[in-house]
Amino acid sequence: MSGTVRLTTAQALVRFLARQHTERDGARRRLIGATWGIFGHGNVAGLGQALVEHGDEMPFLQGRNEQAMVHAAVGHARQSGRLATHAVTTSIGPGATNLVTGAALATVNHLPVLLLPGDVFAARPADPVLQQLEVPYAGDVSVNDCLRPVSAYFDRITRPEALVPAALQAMRVLTDPAATGAVTLALPQDVQAEAWDWPEEFFAERVWPVRRQAPDPAEVAAAARAVRAAARPLLVAGGGVHHSAAEDALRAFADATGIPVASTQAGKGSLRHDHPADVGGIGHTGTATAAELARAADLVIGVGTRWTDFTTASGTLFAGDGVRFVNLNVAPYDAHKMAGTTVVADARAGLEALTRALAGHRVEPAYADRYTGAKERWERRVDAAYAVDDPAARPAQTQVLGLLDELVGDEDVVINAAGSLPGDLHKLWRTRSPRQYHVEYGYSCMGYEIPAAIGVSLAAPGAPVWALVGDGTYLMMPTEIVTAVQEDVPIKVVILQNHGYASIGGLSESVGGERFGTAYRHRAPDGTYTGAPLPVDLAANAASLGLPVTRAETVGELRAALRAARAADGPTCVYVETETADTVSGPPPAQAWWDVPVAETATRPSAVRAREEYDRHVSARRRHL
């Protein structure tokens, strides 16, 4: 009979986590590669001491903001193909509630991260304790219950022995391709420090197979019949293509069938930008090529996509009479959307099976010629948006992307999350490799870029990692610059300053909001925001946090600054003020409409006009049944 080991609950948890591994396609990886932490009462004497006790087994990373630590762990998980992630520990109270946004982002995007917030005393010797939320109608509620709806799995460990089943369930969820997301184990501070005799088997090396669910042959056959009957099929590649490493299978499918491939924000890069079948982004921020094909498609094949309305314009773009859907997805919940024919399977396994079932089938040459010509026309629009006429001029945002496009190689990773940049990137960026395009748009969370870049860089040492950050996003969360400097993580931060919320400003104007509250300017007595931009120096701020900063005022200076940043051995920053699209060739306009309700009654002319436009579009909205 095996023996026992006497450890505190926190020590046992750290030791357990250090021995968990994933395995897929014969490749084994450590599941929890490190633990991020900010210490306070509630975790300093428990997990803090345990990380000191077992520092040789569990690397520690010091964060500055709890939400940012989750973003870093999520970035690491995405870059690792969901086969590895990090844990995050916080104190009770505000430290724990700061996890909520990051947890929601992880769960929405189906990306694994382990959250270990401290909690109030389980035995309640002191009640209420500092930062404890008192709920008069329930004695077993703490602020950590805020994490329940945004967690893929949640448990509160009120006794040491309860950790055994909870930890195993946590690992099960983290490694489940269909169910993964944020996993929360709330740890009361007294239980963390309590000792127990743990069975030695709990600390054995454990391997969690990451399944490749095979498709049902009947479902594959039904999908193949639908494809063979279609004259104008279109495939939409979502994030599931990347998560299952199905890029080669998708390329083989496209090569064999000639079916064009559009991509969501999460799926961009599933095919190289220069593959003949790649027609670019789909949805509101997509290309005209993909939009034209989507409007005329009689069959749409969704692979690993959740069909969100903004990313795919799922309720308005697919307008063809009798258009039907085939959904290949590892999650049954997503596979049944759009009233589609379902193939519930791993994306790679499903694509391989569907390719075999379609042997000898190919779209008509005229259809291939149509989308190939449209793709060529769109590439000329990209060239125009990237073009530089005057190297001494201030660059536009699209020209910043064009200069990066000149510079990067297959190994570079470009990270963004919110604002106007995701739209420009989705339309224009020429993705060279599966992991290059890293735009978080499931939750579109401002502040994601810098901490995520740290997580990506830790997962892909040696790869140039670019965090593209607008001024609004930068002001949300610059804190992890200090972490990058402390750990010497060589991220390249590019701050684009346009003095306001450009994306929401444009949206506000289009829906009758007149850009109210979206610019960084002084407020006049009449409530308007006028005059020169606020005297805010983001470059000086970044430098004050320890980051070497290069200011670039012209296109020529920016080209040189980006080249130097790519060659830098440590973390660095390029700061540039961008010109508006009114004075240079900007990005092409939105290619699809998405539903943002407009005031039904208003007196201001801008809102009246916006409502008329809204009514025109909403009349074409449809529910696919």
Side-chain angles (χ1 to χ4, degrees), residues 134 157 366 428 507:
E134 291 187 273
I157 312 304
L428 305 176
L507 178 62

Side-chain angles (χ1 to χ4, degrees), residues 226 229-236 259-260 262 279 282 289-302 307 316-326 367 370-371 622 624:
R232 300 175 304 280
L234 172 68
L235 188 146
V236 175
I259 294 175
V279 294
I282 193 76
T289 309
E292 291 166 7
L293 291 169
R295 291 189 182 99
D298 56 357
L299 181 72
V300 183
I301 307 163
W307 292 118
T316 56
L317 183 57
F318 305 103
D321 290 338
V323 62
R324 305 305 295 172
F325 293 80
V326 168
Y367 184 56
R370 174 185 166 190
Y371 73 71
R622 64 186 295 183
H624 296 280

Side-chain angles (χ1 to χ4, degrees), residues 250-343:
L250 177 62
R251 184 174 64 252
F253 176 89
D255 289 342
T257 64
I259 294 175
V261 176
S263 56
T264 69
Q265 286 279 11
K268 189 173 172 74
S270 296
L271 290 182
R272 271 186 63 101
H273 72 94
D274 53 3
H275 189 284
D278 179 69
V279 294
I282 193 76
H284 186 69
T285 57
T287 68
T289 309
E292 291 166 7
L293 291 169
R295 291 189 182 99
D298 56 357
L299 181 72
V300 183
I301 307 163
V303 181
T305 176
R306 295 185 296 120
W307 292 118
T308 59
D309 72 317
F310 185 94
T311 301
T312 63
S314 55
T316 56
L317 183 57
F318 305 103
D321 290 338
V323 62
R324 305 305 295 172
F325 293 80
V326 168
N327 296 325
L328 166 54
N329 203 297
V330 73
Y333 178 83
D334 292 319
H336 283 84
K337 290 177 179 176
M338 310 293 278
T341 298
T342 64
V343 182

